[in-house]
Amino acid sequence: TINLSNDFTYSGGTITESATTVGRGQFRFLKSGTVTVIGGGTISNTVDFYIPNTGTTVNLATYVLTGSGDFNMSASTGLMMGSTGGISTSGATGNVQVTGTRTYGATSDYTYNGSAAQVTGNGLPATVNNLTINNSAGVTLSQTVAVSNILTLTTGKVTTGSYEVNSTNTSTSGIISQSVTDY
């Protein structure tokens, strides 16, 4: 188990889980606040990635989590992603590409902050706590999403197609930062 209480830079090489009987490797993102992951290396065998603590946000930028383990976000955590594929429930698409189970927190926060056009991906839960769009190239919905707290439209446009973004927060602060260029 590797407990990460700060940012994580992994620029090369291979991290290998090597149990010969029972075992799994684990990365546990524990920092209160935002953990930035900068990577370029390889994950080999069964390594799980956990965001267990309320208030922890993992910023993956364009880094892709791989390996044959699981990905699990607890409630009230966050994920920032820059992959053009967003997040998905399976397959080799998006920021999380582990071959095990992928669990994204329904009461968590999601930020799309890529530099190229993104899709949300089929892993975005139907209901999220906060959703932030911060991509001048725009983000396209892969399904309808309800935002229970705050929808932040920092930069870029959300293309809905046949889907919807629903703000269930009836306060005037339920949608913020929108403008004539960011909507």
Side-chain angles (χ1 to χ4, degrees):
T1 299
I2 297 174
N3 292 312
L4 297 168
S5 296
N6 213 328
D7 296 340
F8 180 60
T9 300
Y10 176 47
S11 59
T14 301
I15 294 176
T16 303
E17 178 277 317
S18 60
T20 56
T21 55
V22 176
R24 298 172 84 93
Q26 292 183 356
F27 276 90
R28 296 173 57 83
F29 300 100
L30 303 176
K31 179 180 180 182
S32 179
T34 301
V35 175
T36 300
V37 178
I38 300 170
T42 303
I43 304 292
S44 177
N45 296 335
T46 307
V47 178
D48 297 328
F49 298 92
Y50 291 112
I51 309 172
N53 296 339
T54 297
T56 299
T57 296
V58 174
N59 181 1
L60 294 175
T62 57
Y63 182 64
V64 176
L65 296 178
T66 62
S68 60
D70 298 335
F71 176 84
N72 190 332
M73 291 176 66
S74 293
S76 303
T77 60
L79 187 62
M80 300 170 76
M81 63 218 97
S83 170
T84 58
I87 51 176
S88 63
T89 56
S90 63
T93 303
N95 277 104
V96 179
Q97 296 183 16
V98 297
T99 58
T101 302
R102 301 174 194 179
T103 304
Y104 302 104
T107 57
S108 294
D109 303 336
Y110 296 87
T111 299
Y112 290 84
N113 60 349
S115 57
Q118 292 177 275
V119 297
T120 57
N122 68 4
L124 184 67
T127 302
V128 300
N129 184 46
N130 294 310
L131 178 63
T132 300
I133 305 300
N134 188 12
N135 182 337
S136 60
V139 175
T140 299
L141 293 181
S142 301
Q143 71 271 338
T144 294
V145 62
V147 180
S148 62
N149 193 27
I150 298 174
L151 171 62
T152 305
L153 301 169
T154 305
T155 304
K157 297 175 184 167
V158 178
T159 302
T160 57
S162 60
Y163 303 111
E164 298 177 349
V165 176
N166 298 304
S167 175
T168 60
N169 178 349
T170 59
S171 165
T172 57
S173 62
I175 301 173
I176 61 173
S177 299
Q178 72 279 5
S179 71
V180 295
T181 57
D182 305 309
Y183 56 88

